[in-house]
Amino acid sequence: MHNFNITGLEPAAKELKSASSYAVLAPLDNFVIELALHSINQSLVNDIYIVSQEVESFFDSSFSASLNYAYKHNRVHPFSLASETQNHSIEKINSGIIKEISAYKRLSKALIFVHFNTAQLSSTDEKSLELMMRQYNDFVRSTGATLLFLISGPDIANYRFLFRRLNNVFDGLVFVDNDSAVRVLEYDYWRHSRGVIAGEHYQILLSGNQFVVQTGTASESKTLKHSDFADEDDVWLVQSAVPEGTKLPMHYKSVKDNNDLFNKGPKVEAATLIFAVTRYTDLALLGKQCFELRKNCGRWLKLVIQNVDGVIRHQDECLFLTLGVNLILYSFSEPSRLLSQVQSIQGFKFSRPLPSSVEDVLKYTENTFSKGYLPFIEFTKQVEIHSDSAVNLGVSGVLVKLELLPRIDPIHPLHLFHIKREGDVFSIADNTVYLYLHACRENDVDNAIKHLFKLKTSDFFVQQNIISDHFYIQQECKQLRRFYKGKSVVDFSQKLAENDSYKFAPDIANSVTENINTPEFSSKSRPDAKPFIMKLRDNL
């Protein structure tokens, strides 16, 4: 019998029965592939069949050790869906899959992966899909194999509702998602040898290329309600979070700074704490403080951040929300808005998953430190890393394709790109410039390009295409690497080496560095002055 090799997962949720079919759904293909790879155990000698348009991804994952071991022992049979199958109906494709696998003899207790993305299934109606699933179900019942039907793509929510209705066809349905840098397994229903489980959730962490179930993330009892806390209406806030002289309601109390407010945390249970962020605030320290409060004080505590100077960027917002913050406010000049928004979250429990540590979240931001021009193949790999980090942080990211006008030397527009933000990278292949903007929404692309490209893009580029969905960004990078594999792509790294005008390195005058504590703050040297010779007229 096959099982998910995930430490800490309940035996009922691990079990994969023979002569059964299970559906694994996720918004991204690597989510379903990684979970499928955890069902392969080296101790089992059964054959493994893989059908996918992205069959290489099964062997290239960091979880592929067991699969590669089985492949070396001639137990893996991969089938890649050719590009011409895109013109075939899904019914014809699946009939061919079942016919091909049925030709093999060792199907009893074999493990079969059939992977589709939602784009391949988009042209098929619900009745055809149900008929197709029943054909797979009849196939595994007759052969005794275990089938994992993998579906991934941006429209996965619609298929989740469909597979719930097909619970008489499939033996189980698990939805794989990512929330607050934590992988989540949502079991809608799951048949095992002793019965059925339903509505179960498991938070999964990565430990040494192995999934492990996260436990002990909350300290409070599940039976507590907001009415059980005496300090539910209490609000503690930093003085600088509201304009000076603001008259606050009775339950509002103020402290001097964020550190004083952090020290109040262990003394409250369900109160609201409002931190203030100015240009002098250490955001990393504040994020760690919010995480410690959320982890140790429970989920009924309300954590709010008032962005006083408007210095919090999109990625910073996502980091704070991932680390346990309930709400981020901007209306500093309107205390009435603050009061109403704080009231809107009182009585509610924080429900998002928490990461195991701050470091687990910050490692995704470290992946986005590269910026500027990259050789094309390295660019595609780096964009996949950036995109994966964006998914784990809940940050937006876009891939922009800019097609050059005819007879324009690529080096000229490349010189006009001046990247200032970490995570923004660009490259070129043939006559198309590829630009990845990290922590950028699709609606802000034109604005962002105006800030990093000195002239009008219409003077150099004939058209602009934007890919904003993380799934399609990753698919585009994989297809580009396959297309340019073995081909020569011009590397402009050397020619662009001197393009560092975006770096700010001013010369500091000596007068600025003088010791201001000396009795006389003066300097005889004035680098910004020019000598002027004054002459008197002879007749004066």
Side-chain angles (χ1 to χ4, degrees):
M1 182 184 297
H2 300 280
N3 290 281
F4 284 128
N5 186 25
I6 300 177
T7 305
L9 196 64
E10 291 185 9
K14 281 185 175 183
E15 186 176 318
L16 295 168
K17 299 191 301 179
S18 300
S20 302
S21 57
Y22 297 90
V24 180
L25 279 61
L28 298 177
D29 55 349
N30 60 297
F31 288 2
V32 294
I33 291 173
E34 289 170 2
L35 183 61
L37 291 173
H38 276 79
S39 64
I40 300 174
N41 298 284
Q42 292 187 6
S43 58
L44 299 178
V45 295
N46 310 96
D47 281 11
I48 301 167
Y49 299 85
I50 304 174
V51 181
S52 174
Q53 200 170 24
E54 302 291 335
V55 72
E56 302 92 350
S57 300
F58 286 82
F59 294 90
D60 296 338
S61 172
S62 57
F63 307 99
S64 302
S66 297
L67 179 66
N68 291 326
Y69 176 84
Y71 184 78
K72 292 178 181 178
H73 290 77
N74 301 318
R75 291 192 287 110
V76 181
H77 309 280
F79 302 91
S80 179
L81 295 177
S83 57
E84 54 266 20
T85 58
Q86 295 179 358
N87 301 322
H88 299 166
S89 65
I90 196 66
E91 294 86 353
K92 182 178 180 180
I93 293 174
N94 283 280
S95 297
I97 292 173
I98 294 175
K99 182 179 179 180
E100 179 68 27
I101 298 179
S102 298
Y104 288 80
K105 297 180 179 180
R106 296 183 296 178
L107 290 176
S108 179
K109 297 182 180 180
L111 186 59
I112 302 173
F113 302 141
V114 178
H115 176 217
F116 287 102
N117 60 54
T118 54
Q120 293 172 285
L121 303 176
S122 59
S123 60
T124 308
D125 57 23
E126 184 173 330
K127 289 185 178 179
S128 299
L129 282 175
E130 183 177 353
L131 178 61
M132 180 182 73
M133 304 309 173
R134 292 188 183 278
Q135 291 175 347
Y136 278 110
N137 186 56
D138 295 339
F139 169 69
V140 296
R141 294 286 190 271
S142 61
T143 59
T146 300
L147 170 67
L148 284 185
F149 197 83
L150 315 175
I151 300 183
S152 56
D155 300 326
I156 198 62
N158 297 328
Y159 293 92
R160 186 176 184 183
F161 291 124
L162 170 63
F163 278 82
R164 283 177 177 175
R165 296 193 294 271
L166 294 177
N167 53 16
N168 60 338
V169 177
F170 281 92
D171 294 277
L173 169 61
V174 59
F175 185 80
V176 188
D177 204 357
N178 204 76
D179 195 354
S180 301
V182 177
R183 198 66 53 83
V184 180
L185 303 184
E186 302 177 6
Y187 282 75
D188 289 346
Y189 60 91
W190 199 262
R191 291 184 178 87
H192 53 96
S193 57
R194 300 182 304 279
V196 180
I197 61 173
E200 295 290 338
H201 291 67
Y202 300 93
Q203 298 179 26
I204 306 297
L205 298 176
L206 177 61
S207 176
N209 288 338
Q210 189 70 32
F211 281 160
V212 178
V213 174
Q214 180 184 8
T215 57
T217 56
S219 58
E220 75 279 10
S221 172
K222 293 183 179 180
T223 59
L224 290 177
K225 300 178 181 179
H226 70 91
S227 58
D228 297 327
F229 301 105
D231 61 350
E232 174 68 28
D233 297 327
D234 292 346
V235 178
W236 293 84
L237 79 166
V238 177
Q239 291 175 354
S240 58
V242 292
E244 187 177 355
T246 301
K247 187 175 181 180
L248 297 172
M250 177 180 61
H251 293 288
Y252 280 64
K253 306 173 184 64
S254 63
V255 296
K256 183 179 179 181
D257 54 29
N258 289 339
N259 290 329
D260 290 342
L261 189 60
F262 174 69
N263 295 331
K264 284 284 182 184
K267 303 174 185 177
V268 298
E269 293 180 292
T272 302
L273 306 183
I274 305 178
F275 295 90
V277 171
T278 67
R279 65 189 64 184
Y280 307 108
T281 304
D282 186 342
L283 298 182
L285 175 61
L286 180 57
K288 292 179 181 179
Q289 290 177 337
C290 291
F291 177 76
E292 290 300 322
L293 289 172
R294 176 62 66 206
K295 187 175 182 180
N296 297 303
C297 300
R299 294 179 175 269
W300 286 105
L301 182 70
K302 315 298 183 297
L303 299 177
V304 180
I305 289 179
Q306 174 67 67
N307 191 1
V308 176
D309 290 344
V311 296
I312 301 181
R313 295 174 55 193
H314 174 46
Q315 180 166 309
D316 301 325
E317 293 175 2
C318 296
L319 279 172
F320 280 123
L321 296 174
T322 299
L323 295 174
V325 172
N326 296 79
L327 184 65
I328 299 175
L329 303 176
Y330 288 87
S331 304
F332 172 70
S333 60
E334 302 178 18
S336 58
R337 184 70 58 84
L338 181 145
L339 302 181
S340 61
Q341 290 184 308
V342 167
Q343 186 180 1
S344 69
I345 65 172
Q346 289 178 327
F348 289 93
K349 179 182 176 182
F350 184 84
S351 59
R352 293 193 300 273
L354 274 180
S356 59
S357 66
V358 178
E359 288 70 25
D360 285 344
V361 180
L362 294 181
K363 69 181 181 182
Y364 293 111
T365 63
E366 294 173 358
N367 292 335
T368 61
F369 285 164
S370 61
K371 67 176 180 180
Y373 177 84
L374 294 174
F376 188 71
I377 299 301
E378 182 182 346
F379 167 82
T380 60
K381 295 178 180 178
Q382 195 64 43
V383 168
E384 282 197 70
I385 295 174
H386 286 10
S387 180
D388 188 54
S389 298
V391 170
N392 285 281
L393 294 175
V395 179
S396 304
V398 292
L399 178 63
V400 185
K401 299 167 63 176
L402 299 165
E403 186 177 342
L404 284 168
L405 286 166
R407 297 184 299 278
I408 287 186
D409 190 348
I411 190 62
H412 299 311
L414 292 181
H415 268 302
L416 296 176
F417 281 99
H418 295 278
I419 306 297
K420 301 179 181 179
R421 301 189 315 156
E422 305 288 350
D424 291 353
V425 291
F426 69 99
S427 188
I428 187 170
D430 291 338
N431 67 329
T432 302
V433 174
Y434 295 85
L435 171 67
Y436 181 81
L437 300 173
H438 184 69
C440 178
R441 300 175 181 89
E442 183 176 358
N443 294 336
D444 299 329
V445 169
D446 292 337
N447 228 8
I449 293 179
K450 288 179 181 178
H451 285 86
L452 58 87
F453 194 76
K454 285 188 172 183
L455 301 179
K456 291 183 179 179
T457 55
S458 58
D459 294 340
F460 295 89
F461 304 103
V462 65
Q463 67 176 357
Q464 170 181 305
N465 295 323
I466 300 174
I467 305 175
S468 58
D469 189 275
H470 297 296
F471 173 80
Y472 289 117
I473 290 174
Q474 292 186 344
Q475 293 295 101
E476 179 75 12
C477 291
K478 292 175 182 176
Q479 291 174 6
L480 287 172
R481 278 204 304 276
R482 283 198 295 266
F483 180 78
Y484 286 101
K485 185 178 180 180
K487 297 183 180 180
S488 176
V489 181
V490 180
D491 184 1
F492 292 93
S493 299
Q494 293 296 328
K495 293 184 178 181
L496 294 174
E498 70 276 8
N499 188 18
D500 58 354
S501 59
Y502 57 85
K503 297 180 181 179
F504 182 66
D507 294 329
I508 302 177
N510 293 332
S511 59
V512 179
T513 60
E514 291 285 350
N515 185 2
I516 61 176
N517 295 322
T518 55
E520 294 183 359
F521 178 59
S522 62
S523 176
K524 295 181 180 179
S525 62
R526 294 181 58 192
D528 57 340
K530 295 181 180 180
F532 179 79
I533 301 175
M534 181 179 291
K535 296 181 180 179
L536 295 175
R537 292 183 181 179
D538 295 336
N539 58 352
L540 292 181

